[in-house]
Amino acid sequence: MSTTITPEAAGAADDASATEARPRRFGRAARFARPGAALLSGVLLYLSFPPRPLWWLALPAFALLGWTLHGRRPRAGFGLGYLAGLGFLLPLLVWTGEEVGPVPWLALAAIEALFVAAVGLGVAAVSRLPWWPVFAAGVWILGEAARARVPFGGFPWGKIAFGQADGIFLPLAAVGGTPVLGFAVALCGFGLCEAVRLVRLHRAGGPLPRGPLAAAALSVLVPVIGAVAALPLVSDAAEDGTATVAAIQGNVPRLGLDFNAQRRQVLDNHAARTRELAAEVKAGTLPQPDFVLWPENSSDIDPYANPDAAAVIEGAVEAVGAPTVVGAVIAPPTGKLRNTLIQWEPGRGPVATYDKRHVQPFGEYIPMRSVVRLFNSNVDRVARDFGPGTEVGVFDLAGTKVGLATCYEAAFDWAVRDTVTHGAQLITVPSNNATFGRSEMTHQQLAMSRVRAVEHSRSVVVPVTSGVSAVIRPDGEIVSKTAMFTPDYLVEEVPLRSSETPATRLGTLPEALLAAVAAAGLGWAAARAVRARRGRS
């Protein structure tokens, strides 16, 4: 028996085949939608960080991340979270390979992205719970808390709070520090995601769930309302009078790892700028500073072991006639090097020191040296490891209590808070960024200091060997700053304060409470998953 296929039937068959092919093509494209969205969410987070004033991009970044992870299985959430972490941290940390090549940069970003991957797993797990944006934001802060502690003492660079120095949420730093500020941003973004999701479901023909929609709206509104309510905590009023402070930026003879290759040149540069300042003070064009702040490593040779270096410092300090904080590398005959700040008084010389407490792994000391050497021979540039100090740094400079957090320490909550709880009326963050060239690193670090100013309601002075140096008021406003790789100095009158913000008083408690929120959400999600498995068996 033969079958005749008419032209009409053949056309209908072709149309059916085309109809079946389109879903297959769209299905293949849809497989890449969530991974692409995860990567894009990370890139948006990066773009929200300085030097770009695009802090608000963090909100769509978290909204997109929430859409990517909502309803996913935890294993898929881990992979999607890792993509988001790479999209965020690869461009954010590119400065770490500025002079040593791409391997350390790629390795650091790949390792740190694992923490974001774990967050992705957690967010996927809690995304089916009521009020899931709250739990998801808590999971993000839990991930940041872990990243700030392990391995090798942690690496908190890239905390969401550090991208919010220009944002509307900044006053929340005074309420609960960087954890509360970061939580608010994440909560608002995840709340936006949930609100949009519920409205889209309703438009597709589903019911309008008023309770969940109200919860999503509150997730967006409460952080904004909280930031407005926290505004009275942000003040630049002088509680203990004012101080006139000078920050010296001597510059370096060359960029990169060999910034101090010319013996004593970095020291001579800072001494010269200080003498220039003294000349302007004597001429009456600038006010007499109460004290002077030099950067980290501003003396490239040990003034205790080199009389010529000590003489240069002494001459500059005598000329300006004010106590001066000098950053130096101290090389004792035995033991580890010390990254030290020295209080140098006119006519008295060095009277106090502060040794950096959190030295930088793979920069100031090399963990697992023999293993790391297999991947990058630059580890041998650090021929002798630095050792950490143990004492909190607060100098009494002409009657002003000045808290000391050296460079990398500004990223750690405890390292800055300790100085305030020990009486600091002003904070200084002496830094040396010469090895990172003209990268975004110095702008990212400056934003940290602005957040710290609001967090603890203190003026913050940031002297940097090669820039950007800055003077920041307690409300986070930069009142003056320098250009990069330019010899310069800043002289400003700043308010002194002694009251403590809630963030200073509470310390790690807000972070612990937010971690508990995350743990509660993860526990609830795990219990529901167990009950579901039992119901199917």
Side-chain angles (χ1 to χ4, degrees), residues 274-285:
T274 304
R275 289 192 297 269
E276 287 179 12
L277 168 62
E280 288 210 53
V281 170
K282 187 176 181 179
T285 56

Side-chain angles (χ1 to χ4, degrees), residues 311-394:
V312 169
I313 296 171
E314 184 64 33
V317 174
E318 288 288 343
V320 79
T324 302
V325 176
V326 178
V329 173
I330 305 303
T334 60
K336 296 182 177 181
L337 300 173
R338 300 199 309 274
N339 188 337
T340 300
L341 300 176
I342 306 169
Q343 179 180 343
W344 207 291
E345 295 279 345
R348 298 173 60 196
V351 299
T353 60
Y354 167 69
D355 295 334
K356 187 176 183 180
R357 291 180 290 162
H358 200 304
V359 292
Q360 183 181 353
F362 305 103
E364 292 172 308
Y365 77 99
I366 307 296
M368 306 180 301
R369 184 180 289 267
S370 59
V371 176
V372 176
R373 188 182 291 114
L374 298 175
F375 300 95
N376 196 306
S377 62
N378 280 299
V379 298
D380 292 321
R381 286 179 175 269
V382 185
R384 186 177 175 187
D385 286 343
F386 283 78
T390 57
E391 300 297 323
V392 178
V394 179

Side-chain angles (χ1 to χ4, degrees), residues 30-311:
R31 286 187 304 182
F32 297 101
R34 289 185 187 269
L39 194 64
L40 178 58
S41 70
V43 173
L44 289 175
L45 276 182
Y46 158 68
L47 292 174
S48 73
F49 273 68
R52 292 159 296 278
L54 303 176
W55 59 269
W56 51 270
L57 280 179
L59 301 181
F62 277 108
L64 188 58
L65 182 63
W67 174 82
T68 302
L69 297 171
H70 189 273
R72 300 295 95 188
R73 292 182 177 180
R75 185 171 62 182
F78 184 89
L80 293 168
Y82 193 70
L83 287 174
L86 291 177
F88 174 38
L89 295 170
L90 275 172
L92 186 79
L93 303 178
V94 68
W95 51 267
T96 58
E98 181 77 13
E99 293 293 333
V100 295
V103 173
W105 158 52
L106 295 173
L108 176 63
I111 292 169
E112 294 298 314
L114 289 172
F115 289 92
V116 186
V119 168
L121 183 154
V123 171
V126 302
S127 65
R128 291 184 174 89
L129 299 177
W131 291 84
W132 73 265
V134 176
F135 297 116
V139 169
W140 184 274
I141 298 306
L142 178 61
E144 287 193 340
R147 195 160 66 86
R149 289 167 173 80
V150 293
F152 310 118
F155 187 73
W157 210 281
K159 273 189 168 186
I160 295 305
F162 295 148
Q164 296 296 306
D166 291 306
I168 62 172
F169 299 104
L170 181 61
L172 290 170
V175 175
T178 59
V180 168
L181 175 52
F183 177 81
V185 176
L187 176 60
C188 194
F190 286 136
L192 281 171
C193 169
E194 178 66 353
V196 171
R197 189 184 73 86
L198 292 173
V199 169
R200 289 185 65 192
L201 286 175
H202 174 61
R203 287 182 175 178
L208 182 64
R210 297 183 183 275
L213 187 59
L218 285 174
S219 298
V220 176
L221 293 174
V222 167
V224 177
I225 294 170
V228 173
L231 278 171
L233 296 174
V234 181
S235 173
D236 63 356
E239 296 175 333
D240 304 322
T242 62
T244 301
V245 57
I248 305 297
Q249 178 175 303
N251 203 15
V252 295
R254 64 189 69 179
L255 282 67
L257 296 174
D258 296 321
F259 75 94
N260 61 352
Q262 294 174 243
R263 185 185 187 277
R264 221 185 71 182
Q265 186 61 59
V266 177
L267 170 57
D268 287 346
N269 285 356
H270 286 82
R273 297 294 82 70
T274 304
R275 289 192 297 269
E276 287 179 12
L277 168 62
E280 288 210 53
V281 170
K282 187 176 181 179
T285 56
L286 284 176
Q288 169 66 44
D290 295 308
F291 51 90
V292 178
L293 302 173
W294 286 16
E296 175 191 33
N297 303 156
S298 46
S299 179
D300 50 352
I301 52 178
D302 184 347
Y304 293 109
N306 295 271
D308 62 324

Side-chain angles (χ1 to χ4, degrees), residues 243-248 291-296 341 397 400 402-407 410 425-431 446 449-450 452-453 458-464 468-474 477-480 489-496:
T244 301
V245 57
I248 305 297
F291 51 90
V292 178
L293 302 173
W294 286 16
E296 175 191 33
L341 300 176
L397 301 177
T400 298
V402 178
L404 311 167
T406 305
C407 196
Q425 299 164 294
L426 175 148
I427 299 168
T428 183
V429 184
S431 302
L446 182 58
S449 294
R450 294 180 63 192
R452 298 304 184 196
R458 294 293 187 272
S459 298
V460 179
V461 182
V462 186
V464 186
V468 174
S469 302
V471 178
I472 305 165
R473 295 178 72 86
E477 179 189 356
I478 297 175
V479 293
S480 61
Y489 44 80
L490 305 172
V491 181
E492 294 288 346
E493 184 180 13
V494 296
L496 303 178

Side-chain angles (χ1 to χ4, degrees), residues 459-534:
S459 298
V460 179
V461 182
V462 186
V464 186
T465 52
S466 55
V468 174
S469 302
V471 178
I472 305 165
R473 295 178 72 86
D475 60 0
E477 179 189 356
I478 297 175
V479 293
S480 61
K481 65 179 181 178
T482 65
M484 294 183 72
F485 294 101
T486 304
D488 207 348
Y489 44 80
L490 305 172
V491 181
E492 294 288 346
E493 184 180 13
V494 296
L496 303 178
R497 295 176 60 84
S498 55
S499 62
E500 293 186 353
T501 63
T504 306
R505 292 193 295 270
L506 293 172
T508 59
L509 181 59
E511 185 179 59
L513 291 175
L514 294 174
V517 168
L522 293 170
W524 186 6
R528 288 181 57 163
V530 170
R531 287 197 299 269
R533 282 197 296 270
R534 287 176 178 171

